[in-house]
Amino acid sequence: MGAGELEIWLNHFEQHALHPRCAHHGLSDVLRTDERELIASSIATFQLGEQSEGRTLLRAAERFARQKQVPHLLRIIELLIREEQRHAALLRAFMQDHQVPLKKIDWTDRIFRRLRRLAGLELYVSVLICAELIGNVYYRALEAVTDCERLRVLCGNIVSDELAHVGFESQLLFTLRAGHAARGRALTRHAHRIFFATTAAVVWSTHRSVLRGAGHSGRSFLRACRAQYAFYLEPTGVLANSRESLSHKW
Ligand SMILES: [Fe+2]
Ligand SMILES: [Fe+2]
């Protein structure tokens, strides 16, 4: 990813910080009791996952940007974290308005946070992108299980933001991995694939009521997650060539 691509991402995130996606006024905001029971624990876990000050990521990005003299990277990451915090705030407001209890702790969230703290920028982004790719499949399912317009629009807006996040992060990962030798790159890709599949299986087992409510079976959910992964991280054909051309070393 060269300075030109970084500038495009910077413009994107600056634009979104100025004009965030909003829900229109006048949407219905009724969450039925059966819907509330179905989603309460699950949405609380995802709300917790969106909530982060991003200190570890900022530190890793700052270190990396300074060492490699990468322009705009730190600012892009700052804006991306701010967008995540906005997701957390919107979900929190929705939950509070509908008396859905917030979670302060969740074992899956704790594992993700510990893993992200382990090492530098590449590992952090590798873990984060898994959560976001699977999160996109989840938010679409959450949207499908409710008739509450406010929640449906909120899920749609989060997915739209996240599509840009995974676009940027996948490009960033390709560039970071371009710095490894071919063997190291292959091993990293293999380990990442295993981590992704394991995470998707854990999300299925811990959120299956919502996912089943949206019509998923374990197999269809894992297939949808894998399709997201392949599209962003294992592109083929023209897409692969364009990724290749963007992933020169820093
Ligand atoms: Fe988010
Ligand atoms: Fe995100």
Side-chain angles (χ1 to χ4, degrees), residues 50 84 87 162:
E50 298 276 358
E84 297 298 3
H87 294 166
E162 295 296 350

Side-chain angles (χ1 to χ4, degrees), residues 5 25 32 34 40-41 61 80 83 93 95 118 128 131 142 155 161 182 198 218 233-234:
E5 284 82 35
H25 290 292
R32 293 191 314 268
D34 61 312
S41 167
L80 189 144
E83 216 161 78
M95 290 167 66
L118 280 179
L128 180 63
L142 184 61
C155 289
D161 288 344
T198 310
L233 292 165
E234 292 175 340

Side-chain angles (χ1 to χ4, degrees), residues 80-99:
L80 189 144
I81 292 168
R82 224 182 276 171
E83 216 161 78
E84 297 298 3
Q85 289 167 345
R86 193 166 173 274
H87 294 166
L90 289 168
L91 285 165
R92 184 170 54 242
F94 175 83
M95 290 167 66
Q96 285 170 340
D97 288 350
H98 293 279
Q99 290 81 48

Side-chain angles (χ1 to χ4, degrees), residues 2 29 31 34 46 49 54 79 102 114-115 122 216 229 235 243:
D29 190 13
L31 187 68
D34 61 312
F46 271 82
L79 291 166
L102 293 163
R114 290 215 173 137
L115 275 175
E122 185 177 338
H216 274 299
Y229 186 91
R243 284 300 167 108

Side-chain angles (χ1 to χ4, degrees), residues 51-59 77 81 85 124:
Q51 197 173 277
S52 167
E53 288 180 22
R55 280 197 298 260
T56 313
L57 177 56
L58 278 173
R59 263 201 308 274
I77 302 267
I81 292 168
Q85 289 167 345
Y124 196 112

Side-chain angles (χ1 to χ4, degrees), residues 6 20 32 134 145 149 165 205 226:
L6 283 162
R32 293 191 314 268
I134 296 166
V145 295
E149 284 179 357
H165 294 189
S205 72
R226 265 201 305 269

Side-chain angles (χ1 to χ4, degrees), residues 142-157:
L142 184 61
E143 185 183 348
V145 295
T146 180
D147 291 324
C148 175
E149 284 179 357
R150 177 179 171 193
L151 182 56
R152 289 175 64 87
V153 169
L154 176 53
C155 289
N157 285 347

